[in-house]
Amino acid sequence: MTSTSTKSSYMEQSQRTLCRSPFLSIKFFVFCHGFLQLSQLLVSGYLKSSISTIERRYGLSSQTSGLLASFNEVGNTLLIVFISYFGSRVHRPRFIGCGAILVSLAGFLMSLPHFITGPYKYDQSVASMFSNTTDLCQLGVQGSQWNTSDAGCTPHAARENHAVLLVMFIAQALLGIGGVPIQPFGISYIDDFASERNSPLYLGILFSVTVIGPGVAFMLGSAMLRFYVDIDKVTGGKVQLTNKDPRWVGAWWLGFLVAASLVALSAVPYFFFPREMPKEVANGKEGDSKKSEDVLSQLRSRSEHVQSLSLTKFIKHFPLVLLRNLRHPVFLLVVLAQVNLSAMVAGLATFMGKFLERQFSLTASLANLIIGAVNIPGAMVGIVVGGAILKRFQMSLRQCSAMCVLGMFLCLIVAFPLLFLGCPTQKVMGVTYSESSEFGYHTLECNLQCNCPEKAYNPICGSNAIEYISPCSAGCRGVNVDADNNSVLNYTNCSCISDNGLMGSARPGTCSTGCSHLFLPFVILSCLAGILASTSHTPSFMLILRSIQPEDKSFAVGIQFMLLRVLAWMPGPVLYGSAIDTTCILWEKKCDRKAACRYYDNNLFRQR
């Protein structure tokens, strides 16, 4: 008798413990999912914040870096269609957990190139741990004896560069595949087990996280790019660069380690959530066991009904629904409008940082800070304002489309001055500027005796306000160094720089373009244009949801996102990168191949 009562009390206690378990609470699931989505967006968004730094470190063109940035969409697009088929047949939380582990692995893989390649080498004027030679003008020294960044051009170096690209492309493909189950399964799981009253609130929280995520990624980029790339390989005293130097490369790999660790941490709880949990009731408490059993039996019958549709029938059914929706003029036109807008956003998100760096001579860290703290929050404000206007005035479909047109028209008017708000291309001797046409570009009469190597890159600004590619190209023979931190103060005895009839001097770094006063108007106008464009986000979604047949709703949204991926998010960054590459004036050469661009035509860059 005693043993029976002990056994029953033990069972009651274990049931109470089970009821108190956080893994049976939909609120805890929403918290975990918000954290996971934020971490996932940190991994994917962080690449965009460090793209110009990765280009400089590994000698990539903008077209290649654009392809790399959009490559995660390839893995995503190939699998996204089948998610709507397998959605109710699998253990959704575990699938989300497995996807998160893949995303985490992709993040760690993205940082791997830093550890499999040697230290970053750059041309320098002061002897260092890498070399005892300098890039000053040394009369009688042959070009082959110079310390230039091309000195390490060996078959091994070429193979290393291919390995870096291969690892990064594999990582991006894994990132796309791992991200497939996270959002669709998370949203459907919350919708199934949250109360009808709370479901919109939970989904709203997740939606706001997806908007905040990229902003946090750019802020993370801003923080990490302040550190020198080889912070783990070289002591601070031996680094002769500051983050304002055009040769500076920040610790791009560090952010991937931080983001990937957060994703790995957020993946753990998903392996403890049940396949089905008790339905939440409106007051936030869990339903009694009878109600829970009824809900679970309904779910099982619904699941069995969906499973009766075989994969072959599903695949045959898919093209019919696709054609039916694409023949709908409102659906087709609105999706094509969204494709155009999304392609622009995809290109801007990837290269806006680089644009600000080149146009206004900003550091990569400051450019990321501006995007993360001003532009992305501006887009968030636009989305919220658009949704609030829609709710306040209870708009019809015709009014929704009018609001979209008005928002985009105002955006175009505000954005038009951005074509002219920027800096001119700096005067670079032998590249964009020449005092005589007799010797052409790269070779000047005043530095003929120096035998300067073509590939040297260590920009200096002469006292005549003209930039030179290296101290050698300016004919500089002396250098003054700060004894405390081994950094260069200035260059002297420069035969190509005339200062009142005497040989002039130069300071390290590029010459300023003298148009910093245009930076603030540019930021204000670009933020305002982003707010206006974003007001059309919610009305355009309502146009799609209200204009199609109710039974096609979830399928149509899936088709919409598939078209956005294929026509906008995949080609957008590649097209932008290709357009940027056409404005390059001087390319870096690595092992006789075109690498990263050193100088752009700023006016063409801005217009294109």
Side-chain angles (χ1 to χ4, degrees):
M1 183 78 176
T2 314
S3 65
T4 311
S5 63
T6 310
K7 192 177 178 183
S8 62
S9 66
Y10 173 75
M11 283 176 71
E12 282 171 20
Q13 191 179 352
S14 64
Q15 278 182 327
R16 277 200 301 274
T17 309
L18 192 66
C19 288
R20 279 202 303 269
S21 167
F23 297 105
L24 289 175
S25 162
I26 196 68
K27 285 186 174 70
F28 185 61
F29 183 88
V30 172
F31 171 77
C32 291
H33 208 63
F35 183 48
L36 173 60
Q37 281 199 342
L38 183 66
S39 309
Q40 181 205 359
L41 286 162
L42 275 186
V43 177
S44 55
Y46 183 77
L47 174 65
K48 293 175 174 63
S49 75
S50 53
I51 204 92
S52 64
T53 302
I54 293 171
E55 279 181 21
R56 198 173 301 136
R57 174 66 183 89
Y58 295 108
L60 307 180
S61 67
S62 292
Q63 186 181 39
T64 306
S65 63
L67 182 62
L68 178 66
S70 63
F71 204 70
N72 65 316
E73 300 296 346
V74 174
N76 208 304
T77 308
L78 292 173
L79 296 174
I80 198 79
V81 176
F82 295 100
I83 286 300
S84 53
Y85 173 72
F86 289 113
S88 53
R89 298 161 183 252
V90 295
H91 193 304
R92 284 173 289 183
R94 278 187 199 157
F95 255 67
I96 292 170
C98 291
I101 287 169
L102 269 184
V103 170
S104 176
L105 178 65
F108 286 121
L109 266 180
M110 279 302 292
S111 67
L112 185 63
H114 170 74
F115 300 100
I116 61 173
T117 54
Y120 170 56
K121 293 180 182 175
Y122 51 89
D123 302 335
Q124 47 210 26
S125 313
V126 182
S128 73
M129 63 183 290
F130 300 125
S131 174
N132 289 323
T133 54
T134 79
D135 61 3
L136 292 171
C137 174
Q138 292 174 302
L139 302 176
V141 175
Q142 291 304 307
S144 60
Q145 291 172 258
W146 291 92
N147 168 39
T148 70
S149 54
D150 206 52
C153 186
T154 60
H156 170 72
R159 280 198 305 274
E160 198 177 66
N161 210 59
H162 289 138
V164 163
L165 274 177
L166 183 65
V167 167
M168 284 185 163
F169 275 102
I170 290 171
Q172 281 292 92
L174 280 179
L175 179 62
I177 293 165
V180 167
I182 292 174
Q183 201 170 16
F185 281 0
I187 288 170
S188 65
Y189 193 81
I190 290 165
D191 202 43
D192 282 350
F193 303 116
S195 67
E196 284 183 16
R197 186 178 168 188
N198 288 343
S199 182
L201 171 69
Y202 297 153
L203 296 178
I205 290 167
L206 292 185
F207 181 66
S208 65
V209 167
T210 60
V211 179
I212 294 164
V216 178
F218 275 94
M219 301 292 268
L220 178 68
S222 175
M224 294 304 163
L225 296 179
R226 290 168 198 257
F227 300 108
Y228 182 62
V229 64
D230 290 324
I231 194 172
D232 58 328
K233 300 174 185 175
V234 181
T235 55
K238 290 182 175 153
V239 180
Q240 296 172 11
L241 301 178
T242 65
N243 66 358
K244 290 185 172 68
D245 195 293
R247 296 164 297 159
W248 173 268
V249 171
W252 62 271
W253 52 276
L254 208 51
F256 284 114
L257 291 183
V258 171
S261 302
L262 286 174
V263 175
L265 187 67
S266 62
V268 175
Y270 287 92
F271 294 99
F272 299 98
F273 282 107
R275 181 171 179 151
E276 293 162 337
M277 68 164 67
K279 178 97 171 171
E280 182 190 44
V281 291
N283 61 5
K285 294 176 185 172
E286 302 302 329
D288 55 45
S289 57
K290 173 99 174 62
K291 198 175 277 184
S292 297
E293 280 171 22
D294 291 346
V295 170
L296 292 180
S297 65
Q298 283 173 13
L299 280 165
R300 284 191 198 100
S301 64
R302 198 193 315 167
S303 170
E304 282 160 15
H305 170 70
V306 174
Q307 285 175 24
S308 64
L309 193 70
S310 71
L311 184 59
T312 49
K313 281 183 183 172
F314 173 82
I315 290 167
K316 282 178 186 171
H317 181 61
F318 179 74
L320 296 173
V321 182
L322 180 67
L323 284 170
R324 184 163 71 223
N325 284 304
L326 288 181
R327 280 206 300 264
H328 195 297
V330 175
F331 178 83
L332 182 65
L333 289 171
V334 173
V335 168
L336 287 177
Q338 286 185 338
V339 160
N340 279 290
L341 188 58
S342 298
M344 183 190 77
V345 170
L348 280 181
T350 310
F351 293 112
M352 184 69 161
K354 180 173 182 165
F355 178 81
L356 292 175
E357 285 173 49
R358 296 290 181 160
Q359 285 288 320
F360 301 103
S361 306
L362 302 186
T363 63
S365 178
L366 180 57
N368 282 333
L369 187 66
I370 296 294
I371 296 165
V374 180
N375 290 82
I376 291 174
M380 281 172 59
V381 168
I383 291 170
V384 171
V385 168
I389 292 170
L390 205 67
K391 188 181 177 186
R392 171 73 180 80
F393 296 104
Q394 299 290 309
M395 290 185 164
S396 65
L397 285 187
R398 194 180 289 269
Q399 287 169 326
C400 279
S401 61
M403 184 179 163
C404 289
V405 170
L406 180 66
M408 294 314 299
F409 180 68
L410 290 174
C411 169
L412 280 174
I413 290 172
V414 171
F416 185 71
L418 298 180
L419 277 170
F420 311 101
L421 281 178
C423 301
T425 312
Q426 64 264 53
K427 284 183 179 178
V428 184
M429 184 62 78
V431 179
T432 62
Y433 176 80
S434 183
E435 287 173 341
S436 84
S437 56
E438 190 183 336
F439 284 91
Y441 283 173
H442 307 304
T443 311
L444 302 167
E445 188 175 7
C446 53
N447 66 23
L448 277 176
Q449 303 290 314
C450 301
N451 293 312
C452 298
E454 267 186 60
K455 291 164 186 161
Y457 182 63
N458 179 4
I460 61 167
C461 184
S463 50
N464 56 357
I466 293 170
E467 194 171 311
Y468 296 81
I469 296 174
S470 70
C472 181
S473 67
C476 300
R477 290 168 200 165
V479 58
N480 293 323
V481 179
D482 187 333
D484 294 332
N485 57 14
N486 205 27
S487 62
V488 173
L489 295 172
N490 68 343
Y491 299 94
T492 55
N493 296 332
C494 304
S495 56
C496 295
I497 303 170
S498 176
D499 195 355
N500 296 326
L502 301 170
M503 282 200 285
S505 61
R507 58 175 174 80
T510 58
C511 294
S512 67
T513 42
C515 66
S516 54
H517 61 284
L518 295 176
F519 176 58
L520 190 61
F522 183 92
V523 170
I524 292 168
L525 283 177
S526 66
C527 183
L528 195 58
I531 291 170
L532 289 167
S534 302
T535 54
S536 67
H537 183 273
T538 311
S540 66
F541 266 94
M542 295 315 297
L543 277 169
I544 286 170
L545 292 172
R546 289 188 198 167
S547 64
I548 51 179
Q549 294 175 26
E551 67 269 21
D552 286 349
K553 200 169 283 188
S554 59
F555 230 69
V557 172
I559 291 164
Q560 173 200 8
F561 275 98
M562 193 180 77
L563 290 172
L564 285 176
R565 279 194 167 88
V566 174
L567 300 177
W569 298 335
M570 275 162 64
V574 182
L575 290 171
Y576 266 67
S578 303
I580 290 168
D581 281 345
T582 62
T583 67
C584 185
I585 302 169
L586 179 67
W587 289 94
E588 174 194 0
K589 289 281 197 300
K590 261 191 182 172
C591 303
D592 293 323
R593 70 170 183 86
K594 212 160 59 170
C597 183
R598 282 177 170 162
Y599 291 103
Y600 290 96
D601 181 322
N602 274 0
N603 294 323
L604 279 180
F605 190 166
R606 187 173 60 251
Q607 289 156 10
R608 287 181 191 172

